[in-house]
Amino acid sequence: MNPNQRWTPARIYNVYRIAIACVLMLLHYAPDKPVIGADSQNLFEITLFLYLGLALASTTLDFKHRLRAFPRWTEPFSLITDLLMLTLVVHASGGLEGGLAVLLLVTVAAGNILLRGRLGYLIAALATLAVMFEQFYFSIQTQLSSPFALTESGLLGIAFFMISVIIQQIAVRLDHSEQIAQRQRVAIQRLEALNEQIVQRMRTGVLVFDQKMRILMSNEAADNLFNIPMQGNKLSGTLSDLFQRWQNNPLLPHTTLKVSEQSPLLSPRFAQLETGHESLTLLFLEDTARIAQEAQQMNLASLGRLSATLAHEIRNPLSAINHATDLLLDGSPSEEDSQLLSIIRNHVTRVNTIIHDVLDLSRRGKGNAERFALHQLLRQNVDNWILNAPQADISLACSHEVEVRFDPSQLTQVIDNLIANAIKHGGQNCTVQLSCGHHDRTGLPWLRVRDNGKGISAEAARFLFEPFFTTASDGNGLGLYLCRELCHANQATLDLENYPDGASFVITFAHPQRQFQ
């Protein structure tokens, strides 16, 4: 038996010893005439006080954490001492005829619980010898006809050994059951730890709530969607209405919602969780944009493989068409022919650019992320734009303390694309503002690129980051998609903010101390 498992039975037995000693004292001292211990009061009192002192000392040492590692002989010694003390108490109370010999039954039972095998039977044997000696000695003192009439003590001895056998069998079964329970407990703890890790690492938000709409559990993804720890809070009114709608008709199509201004568009799904004693509900919050993005990545992977296969076959005819156009333009064509040839060459260039961009997407390797001060890179970008496009009105407001972990060349590509889009679509007198800082709750660094142009319509915002979607006649629709892909490759996010006076894009970076894998 594990030593830690013996403390509870040992403590219970110690409490019993103290209680028995106190009861015997009460029966001896409380009445005018002692009920027990009258035959030899001095022996009874000395034995009882000594027994109580030993019980108190044993209990005190048991409850002292630093003294729990007793030698192995202490428990047998303590039980043998109990047998001796109780035998003297029985003798001082008139022998076996006094009725106190039954106290030895409890000591024998405790001995077979605390000790196992031969030591338990040794306690029973010593108790049997003690009662037989007591009856033999009592018979001699009272001058009975036959001092060897040991019927009563023999019956007690048989009872001692029967109790030992029964207690030993029960203890073995309890040990076996406890070992099985311990193994099951360890398996359940491992399973709970595994489930906790799986749920916490899920990108899907998971909430568990009861019938009172009180959230009992939530994973990290759900807390990030709501920007607060959700455990212990009430389910929001919108989600409660959707839950009631689902309860009324589980077959209704899923709806989408936003739980906050900054959260993505979510698709809630409900499922019953029966635990046997209460009815709970699971709520899964799926990011629809992420699902669509994964589908787009699969499509683009197929498109990239197709483009890589056909690029050579497509570029050769394009080169021939472009070369023929140059020859025709060199032959002094008419003004009308020159315009048509220019249109042909522009569209050839555009098709070639699209092929080049798609191939870049399929060939883009892993970035080389490093930690650097964001202000320094932004300052270089802004200076380059002011030098190359002096008509652009670009301002920068960024603290020198903001650091990010990103591939510098890829971040430059993202910022250049966002600034170019702002200048291109912002119209006349468009100003571009670059700012950076840290989020109040998460402490993550962010970068905002904002303009005061015409803004982006709600319809266009739905497909803004999809590949090949564009509102410009000369665009290919891969710029913003490529920007978001580069951000994801560096553990960052690129989102469009609600901004009434233009367009506002924000990049949320990973923690600069985080090492990418």
Side-chain angles (χ1 to χ4, degrees):
M1 179 185 292
N2 190 335
N4 292 330
Q5 297 175 343
R6 289 202 295 263
W7 295 124
T8 299
R11 287 179 177 178
I12 293 175
Y13 180 62
N14 283 332
V15 172
Y16 160 78
R17 296 165 72 192
I18 296 173
I20 277 297
C22 293
V23 170
L24 293 177
M25 282 188 174
L26 186 65
L27 293 176
H28 180 74
Y29 288 108
D32 295 334
K33 184 179 180 180
V35 177
I36 55 176
D39 289 1
S40 179
Q41 294 189 19
N42 291 334
L43 176 64
F44 182 86
E45 292 171 359
I46 293 173
T47 303
L48 202 55
F49 278 110
L50 184 60
Y51 180 65
L52 179 60
L54 291 175
L56 290 172
S58 176
T59 304
T60 303
L61 293 175
D62 187 12
F63 278 89
K64 291 290 185 181
H65 294 279
R66 64 178 182 274
L67 297 175
R68 281 188 177 181
F70 296 123
R72 305 186 74 178
W73 53 266
T74 53
E75 284 182 350
F77 176 77
S78 176
L79 290 166
I80 293 173
T81 303
D82 286 355
L83 290 177
L84 175 62
M85 295 293 177
L86 291 176
T87 302
L88 293 176
V89 167
V90 170
H91 177 74
S93 300
L96 300 183
E97 299 296 332
L100 294 182
V102 294
L103 297 177
L104 296 173
L105 289 172
V106 179
T107 302
V108 171
N112 283 271
I113 292 175
L114 299 176
L115 307 174
R116 295 295 166 81
R118 289 177 295 179
L119 287 177
Y121 294 125
L122 174 64
I123 298 299
L126 292 176
T128 302
L129 291 175
V131 295
M132 294 180 70
F133 179 79
E134 172 61 27
Q135 188 171 11
F136 178 78
Y137 183 78
F138 183 76
S139 298
I140 293 176
Q141 278 191 327
T142 55
Q143 298 179 356
L144 294 177
S145 58
S146 175
F148 297 101
L150 305 177
T151 304
E152 186 175 356
S153 60
L155 291 176
L156 279 174
I158 294 173
F160 292 153
F161 278 98
M162 289 301 298
I163 288 176
S164 298
V165 172
I166 295 172
I167 293 296
Q168 294 257 12
Q169 292 297 319
I170 294 175
V172 169
R173 291 180 178 272
L174 288 177
D175 275 351
H176 183 64
S177 300
E178 192 169 357
Q179 290 173 3
I180 294 175
Q182 178 65 22
R183 289 196 295 268
Q184 292 176 343
R185 189 182 304 112
V186 171
I188 291 173
Q189 289 174 349
R190 290 174 180 171
L191 184 60
E192 288 180 349
L194 176 62
N195 291 337
E196 179 70 16
Q197 288 295 323
I198 292 174
V199 172
Q200 290 299 331
R201 290 178 177 271
M202 287 175 62
R203 291 185 292 177
T204 301
V206 180
L207 298 175
V208 180
F209 59 92
D210 57 15
Q211 295 179 344
K212 297 181 179 179
M213 304 299 172
R214 187 176 71 255
I215 298 174
L216 305 179
M217 294 178 61
S218 65
N219 67 347
E220 185 177 351
D223 294 340
N224 291 335
L225 289 174
F226 291 90
N227 292 325
I228 58 170
M230 293 302 295
Q231 186 171 345
N233 294 330
K234 286 277 189 178
L235 203 66
S236 65
T238 305
L239 290 174
S240 298
D241 295 339
L242 290 175
F243 173 61
Q244 296 296 334
R245 176 176 175 268
W246 173 79
Q247 278 189 320
N248 295 332
N249 190 354
L251 299 179
L252 287 176
H254 299 297
T255 59
T256 57
L257 78 158
K258 297 188 70 172
V259 296
S260 66
E261 291 269 337
Q262 295 79 21
S263 75
L265 198 63
L266 303 175
S267 174
R269 292 183 292 110
F270 298 93
Q272 288 297 130
L273 179 63
E274 296 295 339
T275 62
H277 61 277
E278 61 180 341
S279 179
L280 304 177
T281 305
L282 276 169
L283 171 58
F284 300 94
L285 296 171
E286 286 279 359
D287 185 355
T288 57
R290 181 176 58 81
I291 297 174
Q293 181 189 12
E294 290 176 353
Q296 290 171 0
Q297 288 176 345
M298 294 177 64
N299 292 335
L300 283 176
S302 300
L303 180 60
R305 290 191 294 268
L306 178 63
S307 300
T309 304
L310 301 178
H312 180 72
E313 299 298 330
I314 295 175
R315 278 180 167 174
N316 283 342
L318 288 178
S319 298
I321 294 172
N322 194 40
H323 183 65
T325 303
D326 290 338
L327 292 176
L328 291 174
L329 286 174
D330 291 340
S332 301
S334 63
E335 182 178 352
E336 183 178 356
D337 292 340
S338 296
Q339 292 178 353
L340 293 175
L341 292 172
S342 297
I343 293 173
I344 293 173
R345 185 162 62 178
N346 290 336
H347 282 282
V348 168
T349 303
R350 183 181 177 187
V351 172
N352 191 58
T353 303
I354 293 174
I355 295 174
H356 183 270
D357 291 341
V358 173
L359 288 176
D360 282 345
L361 284 176
S362 61
R363 294 172 181 170
R364 177 168 52 87
K366 186 178 180 180
N368 184 20
E370 58 183 70
R371 183 173 178 175
F372 57 90
L374 183 58
H375 178 273
Q376 183 178 357
L377 184 138
L378 294 178
R379 184 75 268 171
Q380 294 176 356
N381 275 72
V382 172
D383 291 342
N384 290 334
W385 273 97
I386 293 175
L387 180 63
N388 298 321
Q391 76 280 3
D393 186 3
I394 304 175
S395 62
L396 173 62
C398 181
S399 172
H400 292 266
E401 299 176 355
V402 178
E403 292 186 342
V404 298
R405 185 176 293 277
F406 212 101
D407 187 306
S409 61
Q410 293 180 353
L411 182 57
T412 300
Q413 183 178 354
V414 173
I415 296 172
D416 286 342
N417 195 298
L418 295 176
I419 294 176
N421 284 345
I423 295 174
K424 181 178 180 179
H425 299 283
Q428 295 182 351
N429 301 322
C430 175
T431 61
V432 183
Q433 300 174 353
L434 277 70
S435 58
C436 65
H438 292 94
H439 284 288
D440 295 334
R441 187 180 68 87
T442 62
L444 297 178
W446 53 265
L447 167 63
R448 179 176 288 110
V449 180
R450 176 176 291 177
D451 63 68
N452 63 344
K454 300 177 182 178
I456 300 172
S457 65
E459 182 67 23
R462 294 175 54 193
F463 310 101
L464 192 61
F465 294 101
E466 292 189 4
F468 305 110
F469 172 79
T470 179
T471 57
S473 59
D474 57 346
N476 56 29
L478 290 174
L480 287 176
Y481 174 79
L482 180 59
C483 289
R484 173 170 275 190
E485 288 297 302
L486 291 175
C487 289
H488 286 170
N490 289 271
Q491 306 294 319
T493 60
L494 173 62
D495 299 293
L496 175 67
E497 290 185 315
N498 290 330
Y499 184 57
D501 300 326
S504 180
F505 293 88
V506 61
I507 302 173
T508 302
F509 299 92
H511 197 282
Q513 294 182 357
R514 179 179 178 183
Q515 296 292 335
F516 301 160
Q517 297 180 353

